[in-house]
Amino acid sequence: MPLPLSLPAPSTARWLAWLRRRTRSSELWLIAVAVLIGVAAGALAVLQAKLAHGLQGLLFGINLGERLSAQSAIAPWRVLSIPLGGLLLGLLTWAWMTYRPRPAVDPVEANALHGGRLSLKDSAFICVQTLISNGFGASVGLEAAYAQAGAAVASFAGQKLNLRRADMRTLVGAGAGAAIAAAFGAPLTGAFYAFEIVIGAYTVANLAPVAAAALAAALVASRMGAIPYLLKTTTPAVQSWLDYGLYALLGLVCAAAGIGLMRLVALAERGVVRIGLPRGWRPAAGGLALAGLAMITPQILSSGHGALHLDLISDLGLKTLLMLVALKALASVLSLSFGFRGGLFFASLFLGALIGQTVSALSVAAPWLPGLDPTVAALVGMAALAVAVVGGPFTMSFLVLEATGDFTVTAAALVASLIASTIVRETFGYSFSTWRLHLRGETIRSAHDVSWLRPLTAGRMMRKDVQTTASTTTLAEFRRRFPLGSTRRVVMIDEAEHYAGVIVTALAYADPGGDERPVSVLAVNPDAALTPDQSIKEVMRAFDSTEADELAVVDAERRVIGLVSEAHATRRYAEELEKVRRDLTGEA
């Protein structure tokens, strides 16, 4: 029988299966997939930026290449676009929440709690919300949409390829970091954004895929016409050791400002809820307030790229700087609390630059202090406040390095960033994204993968074949029912069948008292019991405090439903830790 001239084209399912096998078995193939994700993330970031800027040009009458926040003034009738955009956003959000009532997952939450799994539909709608918010002038940045789009593409690819959990988390971090790299033309910044903020760890296994994705995204963005984020300074950052002390003080000020800003957003959100305004109308109401602020200065609009560049080359007085800090912070708080979508990434950079210039002005006014250069102080403050709000001291330090090319400025920024990061972690404990998750009831403080701990609950680890006995049982009856060697422990219950303690079988046989004594005299830990939903950490803490080898698990009515041993809980915890260790070291 003659052979066919050509083989039939494999089906999509067979092709995906082939690619899945290659990706799961070879790190080189995983890097190749990460590069493709970086290309897609970079293209999506540039596309979203062009859409938002095009919308701003249409609504506010600014020329191509100009920035909304850099305008000297905006016609009053044009600022009415902000509440109109808020109305559009509110109606769309109301309709979407009716269709999909559960909250959307962002990249940090996805990697910490869901193994890198993101919904493509939810992510697309988040991007639409952010584009409307930023395009109509609300004081929010696009970086959240960039990262969401990049992470969603990565998650979609990882799910199609059925990748391992660790590889999924790496790709989601690579996608989000690649988008940031494209937005700023800064691959190191994007890579460390992935490591510090989205993945939560820098390991041998995730280094190459993340770096490759960030480089690919930056190159694609450059070919698509994106302009790298460049800030030039000609003044040495450090002229004496005392300068480091002033930069450390600036880091302290930025830490306090970052904590205050995050708490203000939470307080304002609660205040808006108490007002009782329907959710769909909140962005429009917030837009009216923002329109009033825009009449004072357009610098509060959008994320603030243009205003940041404008203020760095302007000789602003102390009163003007303080006014801009207050107005921009107020605009960001109003935007987020009234329902506009976006993040504080660039707003924190802009506010940090203003705070740095303010500290510089104060240092110049004090004759006993060496005056800080306002541009250098702005760059250092920019990094420090962004670290306080967003997190990632190396991320923001590399942003300064790639924007300026000046290692002395980067060193000063790193000093201030580390101080700001340490103070925020010690006194507040959250970044802006994890703080908002905390307000929703989640307990995560970073993107570290803690979801593996969640299945390790008392209810999942307990044995259900529990031997029980009544508290009125005599020692003679107990010995007859439970011969020595049949069981180590028996759970005691009272007349209402509620948990009343644990009887150690060996002690019942060793007791020198009479056979007619009730076993209740030998019960231990009558008040120490676990509930099914307690985590492994709470279980191990209970074992430490009671010094027991086994603890009963009870329901809401204190009826015994199981028994957990310390040895089993420790073994399960060790097994999961070993899996995490293998993921971190890249072992199969």
Side-chain angles (χ1 to χ4, degrees):
M1 179 177 180
L3 294 174
L5 296 178
S6 61
L7 295 175
S11 66
T12 302
R14 291 175 60 191
W15 182 84
L16 281 175
W18 176 84
L19 183 59
R20 182 183 305 120
R21 289 193 299 271
R22 296 294 184 274
T23 307
R24 288 174 65 94
S25 61
S26 170
E27 186 176 349
L28 290 175
W29 278 93
L30 183 64
I31 294 171
V33 172
V35 168
L36 295 177
I37 289 170
V39 170
L44 286 172
V46 175
L47 178 61
Q48 289 180 92
K50 290 183 180 296
L51 287 173
H53 296 156
L55 185 57
Q56 289 175 2
L58 180 65
L59 295 172
F60 296 96
I62 58 177
N63 297 324
L64 185 66
E66 293 183 345
R67 295 283 187 171
L68 177 60
S69 60
Q71 302 303 302
S72 58
I74 296 176
W77 67 272
R78 288 191 180 275
V79 298
L80 293 177
S81 301
I82 308 173
L84 290 176
L87 180 60
L88 173 63
L89 176 66
L91 293 175
L92 284 176
T93 302
W94 172 80
W96 183 262
M97 293 300 292
T98 303
Y99 167 61
R100 291 174 73 90
R102 62 183 181 184
V105 175
D106 70 4
V108 174
E109 184 182 2
N111 262 9
L113 300 177
H114 305 291
R117 293 183 174 272
L118 284 164
S119 165
L120 206 58
K121 290 181 180 180
D122 287 346
S123 297
F125 187 68
I126 287 174
C127 293
V128 170
Q129 287 179 302
T130 308
L131 284 173
I132 293 174
S133 299
N134 183 273
F136 278 84
S139 187
V140 293
L142 288 168
E143 289 76 19
Y146 299 155
Q148 187 78 34
V153 169
S155 181
F156 177 78
Q159 291 179 62
K160 286 295 182 182
L161 295 175
N162 193 27
L163 295 182
R164 299 181 183 91
R165 184 185 190 86
D167 293 339
M168 277 280 290
R169 296 182 73 254
T170 296
L171 285 185
V172 167
I180 297 300
F184 291 94
L188 285 174
T189 302
F192 274 85
Y193 179 90
F195 294 139
E196 293 186 299
I197 296 172
V198 183
I199 300 175
Y202 168 89
T203 68
V204 175
N206 64 28
L207 171 60
V210 169
L215 285 169
L219 290 173
V220 167
S222 177
R223 293 299 298 269
M224 293 179 67
I227 300 174
Y229 195 73
L230 300 176
L231 300 167
K232 294 299 181 182
T233 176
T234 57
T235 305
V238 180
Q239 302 183 37
S240 70
W241 287 103
L242 190 56
D243 289 345
Y244 276 120
L246 290 177
Y247 291 130
L249 178 62
L250 177 54
L252 177 64
V253 172
C254 288
I259 294 171
L261 182 62
M262 289 185 282
R263 287 200 176 276
L264 274 176
V265 172
L267 288 173
E269 286 180 336
R270 286 198 289 267
V272 170
V273 171
R274 289 196 190 100
I275 292 173
L277 193 66
R279 186 183 294 272
W281 294 95
R282 290 174 191 172
L288 287 172
L290 290 173
L293 295 178
M295 297 304 298
I296 302 174
T297 173
Q299 289 200 17
I300 62 98
L301 295 177
S302 190
S303 55
H305 285 77
L308 175 56
H309 283 273
L310 180 65
D311 292 346
L312 283 177
I313 61 175
S314 302
D315 186 16
L316 301 176
L318 183 60
K319 290 183 179 179
T320 302
L321 288 169
L322 292 173
M323 181 194 72
L324 288 175
V325 169
L327 289 177
K328 181 61 179 179
L330 178 60
S332 297
V333 170
L334 286 173
S335 297
L336 294 171
S337 60
F338 275 91
F340 284 101
R341 190 82 190 208
L344 287 177
F345 190 110
F346 203 91
S348 62
L349 293 175
F350 180 32
L351 284 168
L354 293 174
I355 291 173
Q357 288 178 293
T358 302
V359 171
S360 171
L362 292 173
S363 70
V364 171
W368 62 88
L369 292 176
L372 294 178
D373 178 75
T375 302
V376 175
L379 294 171
V380 174
M382 180 181 79
L385 186 62
V387 168
V389 174
V390 180
F394 282 104
T395 302
M396 302 308 168
S397 298
F398 276 118
L399 177 59
V400 171
L401 175 61
E402 292 180 293
T404 64
D406 192 321
F407 283 94
T408 62
V409 177
T410 304
L414 184 59
V415 168
S417 297
L418 290 174
I419 289 174
S421 175
T422 302
I423 292 173
V424 171
R425 283 202 322 271
E426 290 292 322
T427 61
F428 189 64
Y430 299 91
S431 66
F432 181 65
S433 59
T434 55
W435 172 240
R436 291 172 76 84
L437 292 174
H438 167 73
L439 295 177
R440 270 176 31 196
E442 295 290 352
T443 57
I444 65 171
R445 292 177 180 265
S446 71
H448 285 94
D449 189 8
V450 296
S451 56
W452 62 273
L453 287 171
R454 295 202 164 190
L456 294 181
T457 60
R460 288 177 177 266
M461 294 187 294
M462 69 182 184
R463 299 197 322 266
K464 296 182 180 180
D465 54 335
V466 183
Q467 301 280 4
T468 61
T469 187
S471 57
T472 56
T473 303
T474 64
L475 281 172
E477 177 65 17
F478 182 89
R479 292 165 183 162
R480 188 187 65 78
R481 288 182 55 197
F482 305 104
L484 193 61
S486 62
T487 181
R488 295 176 58 190
R489 284 170 178 77
V490 179
V491 177
M492 188 176 71
I493 55 177
D494 60 18
E495 293 82 357
E497 297 188 352
H498 295 162
Y499 170 73
V502 176
I503 309 296
V504 180
T505 307
L507 293 179
Y509 279 86
D511 185 74
D515 290 348
E516 299 306 315
R517 297 175 65 203
V519 292
S520 58
V521 298
L522 302 177
V524 296
N525 299 319
D527 299 319
L530 303 172
T531 56
D533 59 345
Q534 283 186 286
S535 68
I536 182 65
K537 290 185 176 181
E538 294 171 317
V539 170
M540 298 308 295
R541 195 178 298 122
F543 280 120
D544 288 340
S545 61
T546 61
E547 299 182 355
D549 294 328
E550 291 179 309
L551 288 173
V553 183
V554 300
D555 61 15
E557 298 178 354
R558 289 190 64 81
R559 297 181 185 275
V560 179
I561 58 176
L563 195 70
V564 175
S565 69
E566 183 181 23
H568 178 66
T570 302
R571 184 170 64 253
R572 289 289 295 113
Y573 188 54
E575 289 170 355
E576 295 301 325
L577 280 178
E578 176 62 16
K579 292 179 183 177
V580 174
R581 186 197 65 78
R582 290 200 300 267
D583 289 343
L584 290 176
T585 56
E587 298 178 20

